[in-house]
C-alpha cells in the first residue's frame, strides 16, 4: 500500500543501508474500482451522459449491416474502449466505485455491472442461455452462481452489495509519481514486453519510469513481430528519441508505415469507355502485418540495449530437442470432422455477410473437436441465431484416443527412467485436464493439475511441494508457466494440444532447459492429429519458429524461405482451408524443421556437468516473433 511504501522510504533515509521495494505490475496499476456513471432517463428511454445529458449509442448488426441504437445496460457490463467516453462531449462515462455508498450499478461476479431496476433483463438472459444449452444436450438445466446473485437483486433491488476487490485508494504508480518523483535511485522492470501496449499496466510502468534516476528493463521477448508492438514501449523508454524522429504518441500509423509492414487494399474501377474521366481508386482497408525494419534497432536500441541468448552459454546447457508426433483420428471422428470442415468452407465462400463473424467459432471448433468429439456447442448464425452446424458426439469421455494411448506409454517409459513429465493443455474449455488426471490415477501414476487459482507468487512453492509428495506428472496450461519458473525436476515436456501464440509456446517449452539443469537431455513433444486443423497449424508454427530463429541469427533454409510469408496464423489457416492455397510450408517435413532448431551435442561428446547453485544470468531469447491467438474473438 501507499502507507507501506512511505514507511519503507522513511526508513531508508534514516539508515545507511539501501532499501529495495518489490512491486507486482498488478499492484502498481490497480487502484480504486470504477463503475458506470451513466443513468437511465425514462423520458428519453435511454442511458444518458452524466455531463451533457445526451443519449449513449452503441453499434449493432442488423441483417449484416452495422447501425446504431440506444445503448442497453449490457453495453456497460465491463469498461472498454467503446463505452469509456461519450461520443458527443468526450466526457468519461465511468467513475469511482465507492465502497461505503451504494449506487444504481451493482458489480456481480462473472456477470459484470448490473443496473438495479433492470436486473431482471440479466436474469432472463442467463436463464435463456442455460435452457438453450440444456435443450441441445438433453440434460437437466444447471444454473450458475451468478444467476442466483442476480435473482437476489431482482427480489430485493435495495439490497447492499459490496463487490470483492474494490479498493478505496489510488494506484501505487500514481502515488509514486505524485509524492516520490526524483527520490528513486534505480528501477528494475522485469518482463518488459508486458508493457508494450496502450494499457493500464503500461501507463503504470511509465509513471514509475518517470520517477527514477536510472532504469533497467529485462525481457525475453522484446517485440511480438509487429512494429506497433514496440511503439508504446519505445515512447515510454526513449520518448526524446521518438520525438526527435518526428513520431507523435497519438499517431502510431506513421510509425508503422515507416518501420513496419502495412498491407493496403484498394478498389480500382477502370473507366475504359469514358476517356474523359480518370481511373477511380478507393481505399478499402489497411492492416498491419508481421515485420519490423532493422532501422528500429539502429535508431532506438543500439545505444540502450544489450542482447544475450542462452545459446551464448551453450556449453553449460543440456541437449534440447522438440519432436512433433503425428497420430491418426478414428474413422467415425474423421467423417464428422470433414462434415464440419465442409460447412465452414461453404460459409466462408458463399455467406459473406457472416463469414468473418463466425470464423473464430468455426476455427475453435475445428481445432478442439478431434481432442473432444463430444459435448460440443453448435456454431450459431449471428443474424438468425440458428445453428449453422451441430457437431455430433462420436466418442465419450471414458474412451481413449490415439493421443491418450501414446501419452500413457511415453509417461510410463519416462517414469521407468526416474524422470518427471509436464503435460501442457492449452484449451481449458474442454475436459482434457480432468480426463488425463483420472487416466493417470487409474494406472497408478501420481499426477496433479496446476490451475490458475494458485497465485502466481506461490506456484513455484506449490510445484516443489508436489514433487516432494512424489508427483511424477504435472498437468497445466502453458500460460501459467511461461515466465518466472524453473522446472528442473521435469525433463520431458509434452504438448497435448498447443496454443498458437508463439511467445507462449517458446517461453513455456524452455522451462526445463536452464543453465542450472543437471539432466543431460530435455525433450519436448508436440502431439497432433494428421490431416486436420492441428496438423496445418503446427506446420505453420514450425515455419514461424524457424523465422524466429533467423531473427536470432540461426540461419536455416526453412527459416529463410518462411520469411517470404507475412500473415497472421488465423488468416493463413482460414485461407488454406477455404481456398486451398499453396505456400512455402507445403511439402515441409515438420520433423526436419524442429530437428534443425534442436540443440544437440556432437556424437560421442558427453553433456558437461553444471556447477550446483550456478545462477541463471539471463532469460533472454533476443527478438521474438509472436503470432495472433487462433482462438481469440474477432
Amino acid at each position: 500500500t501507499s502507507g507501506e511504501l512511505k514507511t519503507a522510504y522513511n526508513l531508508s533515509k534514516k539508515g545507511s543501508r539501501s532499501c529495495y521495494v518489490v512491486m507486482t505490475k498488478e499492484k502498481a496499476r490497480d487502484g480504486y474500482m470504477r463503475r458506470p456513471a451513466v443513468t437511465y432517463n425514462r423520458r428519453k428511454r435511454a442511458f444518458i451522459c452524466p455531463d451533457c445529458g445526451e443519449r449513449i449509442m452503441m453499434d449493432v448488426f442488423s441483417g449484416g449491416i452495422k447501425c446504431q441504437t440506444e445503448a442497453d445496460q449490457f453495453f456497460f457490463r465491463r469498461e472498454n474502449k467503446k463505452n469509456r467516453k461519450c461520443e458527443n462531449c468526450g466526457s468519461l462515462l465511468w467513475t469511482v466505485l465507492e465502497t461505503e455508498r451504494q449506487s444504481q450499478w451493482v458489480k456481480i461476479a462473472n456477470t459484470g455491472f448490473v443496473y438495479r431496476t433492470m436486473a431482471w433483463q440479466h436474469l432472463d438472459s442467463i436463464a435463456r442461455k442455460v435452457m438453450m444449452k440444456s435443450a441441445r444436450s438433453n440434460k437437466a438445466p444447471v444454473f450458475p452462481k451468478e444467476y442466483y446473485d442476480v435473482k437476489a437483486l431482482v427480489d430485493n433491488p435495495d439490497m447492499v452489495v459490496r463487490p470483492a476487490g474494490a479498493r478505496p485508494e489510488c494506484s501505487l504508480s500514481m502515488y509514486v509519481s505524485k509524492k516520490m518523483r526524483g527520490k528513486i535511485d534505480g528501477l528494475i522492470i522485469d518482463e518488459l514486453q508486458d508493457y508494450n501496449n496502450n494499457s493500464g499496466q503500461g501507463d503504470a510502468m511509465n509513471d514509475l519510469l518517470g520517477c527514477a534516476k536510472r532504469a533497467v528493463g529485462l525481457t525475453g521477448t522484446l517485440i511480438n513481430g509487429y512494429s506497433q508492438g514496440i511503439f508504446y514501449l519505445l515512447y515510454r523508454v526513449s520518448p526524446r528519441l521518438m520525438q526527435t524522429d518526428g513520431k507523435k504518441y497519438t499517431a502510431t500509423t506513421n510509425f508503422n508505415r515507416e518501420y513496419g509492414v502495412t498491407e493496403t487494399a484498394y478498389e480500382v474501377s477502370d473507366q475504359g469507355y469514358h476517356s474523359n474521366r480518370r481511373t477511380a481508386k478507393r481505399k478499402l482497408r489497411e492492416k498491419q502485418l508481421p515485420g519490423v525494419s532493422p532501422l528500429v534497432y539502429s535508431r532506438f536500441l543500439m545505444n540502450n540495449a544489450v542482447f544475450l541468448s542462452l545459446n551464448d552459454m551453450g556449453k553449460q546447457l543440456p541437449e534440447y530437442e522438440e519432436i512433433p508426433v503425428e497420430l491418426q483420428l478414428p474413422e467415425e471422428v474423421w467423417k464428422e470432422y470433414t462434415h464440419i470442415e465442409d460447412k465452414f468452407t461453404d460459409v466462408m465462400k458463399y455467406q459473406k455477410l457472416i463469414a468473418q463473424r463466425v470464423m473464430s467459432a468455426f476455427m475453435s471448433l475445428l481445432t478442439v473437436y478431434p481432442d473432444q468429439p463430444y459435448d460440443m456447442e453448435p456454431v450459431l448464425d449471428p443474424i438468425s441465431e440458428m445453428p449453422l452446424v451441430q457437431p455430433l458426439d462420436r466418442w465419450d469421455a471414458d474412451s481413449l484416443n490415439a493421443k491418450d494411448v501414446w501419452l500413457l506409454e511415453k509417461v510410463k517409459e519416462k517414469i521407468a527412467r526416474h524422470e518427471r513429465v509436464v503435460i501442457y493443455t492449452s484449451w481449458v474449455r474442454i475436459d482434457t485436464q480432468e480426463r488425463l488426471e483420472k487416466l493417470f490415477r487409474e494406472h497408478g501414476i501420481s499426477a496433479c493439475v496446476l490451475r490458475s487459482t494458485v497465485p502466481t507468487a506461490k506456484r513455484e512453492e506449490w510445484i516443489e511441494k508436489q514433487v516432494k509428495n512424489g508427483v511424477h506428472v504435472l498437468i497445466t496450461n502453458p500460460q501459467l508457466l511461461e515466465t518466472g519458473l524453473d522446472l528442473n525436476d521435469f525433463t520431458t515436456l509434452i504438448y497435448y494440444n498447443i496454443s498458437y501464440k508463439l511467445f507462449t509456446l517458446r517461453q513455456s517449452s524452455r522451462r526445463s532447459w536452464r543453465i542450472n539443469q543437471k539432466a543431460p537431455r530435455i525433450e519436448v513433444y508436440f502431439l497432433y492429429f494428421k490431416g486436420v486443423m492441428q496438423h496445418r497449424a503446427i506446420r505453420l508454427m514450425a515455419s514461424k519458429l524457424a523465422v524466429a530463429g533467423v531473427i536470432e541469427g540461426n540461419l536455416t533454409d526453412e527459416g529463410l524461405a518462411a520469411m517470404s510469408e507475412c500473415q497472421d496464423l488465423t488468416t493463413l489457416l482460414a485461407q488454406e482451408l477455404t481456398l486451398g492455397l499453396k505456400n512455402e510450408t507445403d511439402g515441409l517435413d515438420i520433423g526436419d524443421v524442429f530437428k534443425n532448431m534442436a540443440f544437440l551435442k556432437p556424437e560421442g561428446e558427453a553433456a558437461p556437468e553444471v556447477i550446483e547453485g550456478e545462477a541463471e544470468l539471463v532469460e533472454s531469447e533476443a527478438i521474438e516473433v509472436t503470432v495472433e491467438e487462433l482462438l481469440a474473438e474477432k
Side-chain angles (χ1 to χ4, degrees), residues 364-382:
S364 175
L365 177 59
L366 288 170
T367 303
V368 303
Y369 185 79
D371 281 4
Q372 184 178 313
Y374 55 87
D375 295 343
M376 284 285 116
E377 297 288 336
V379 178
L380 302 179
D381 187 312

Side-chain angles (χ1 to χ4, degrees), residues 400-410 439:
L400 299 183
N401 60 32
K403 283 188 179 181
D404 300 331
V405 175
W406 185 94
L407 185 63
L408 192 58
E409 293 178 356
K410 179 59 68 173
L439 173 65

Side-chain angles (χ1 to χ4, degrees), residues 535-554:
H535 189 180
R536 296 182 177 95
I538 199 168
R539 189 182 68 224
L540 291 169
M541 285 293 284
S543 178
K544 298 307 178 184
L545 281 168
V547 172
V550 170
I551 295 176
E552 295 173 2
N554 301 322

Side-chain angles (χ1 to χ4, degrees), residues 594-606:
F594 282 108
K595 191 76 172 180
N596 289 338
M597 292 184 290
F599 184 83
L600 303 176
K601 302 293 182 182
E603 292 186 9
E605 180 180 334

Side-chain angles (χ1 to χ4, degrees), residues 263-269 280-287:
E263 179 185 83
T264 306
Y266 295 94
E267 183 181 73
V268 179
S269 57
K281 183 178 181 181
R282 184 169 65 93
K283 184 177 179 180
L284 294 179
R285 63 182 181 275
E286 183 176 282
K287 71 174 182 178

Side-chain angles (χ1 to χ4, degrees), residues 552-593:
E552 295 173 2
N554 301 322
L555 301 180
T556 65
D557 295 337
E558 291 81 5
L560 293 173
M563 290 187 73
S564 64
E565 186 64 60
C566 288
Q567 296 190 41
D568 65 272
L569 188 62
T570 305
T571 303
L572 279 172
L573 289 172
Q575 286 183 348
E576 181 181 280
L577 191 59
T578 58
L579 304 178
L581 295 180
K582 298 291 184 180
N583 56 47
E584 76 283 343
T585 62
D586 287 336
L588 189 69
D589 190 306
I590 303 175
D592 288 345
V593 175

Side-chain angles (χ1 to χ4, degrees), residues 48 65 74 109 122 124 144 158 164 210 258 316 352 392 426 438 468 484 495 514 524 536 542 546 550 580 619 632:
I48 61 173
I65 301 175
F74 298 98
H122 278 275
D124 289 349
D158 297 325
E258 182 172 352
Q316 300 297 326
K352 300 297 184 181
L392 300 178
S426 299
K438 178 183 177 183
K468 289 180 180 179
Y495 286 82
R514 323 305 291 169
V524 181
R536 296 182 177 95
V550 170
E619 190 180 325

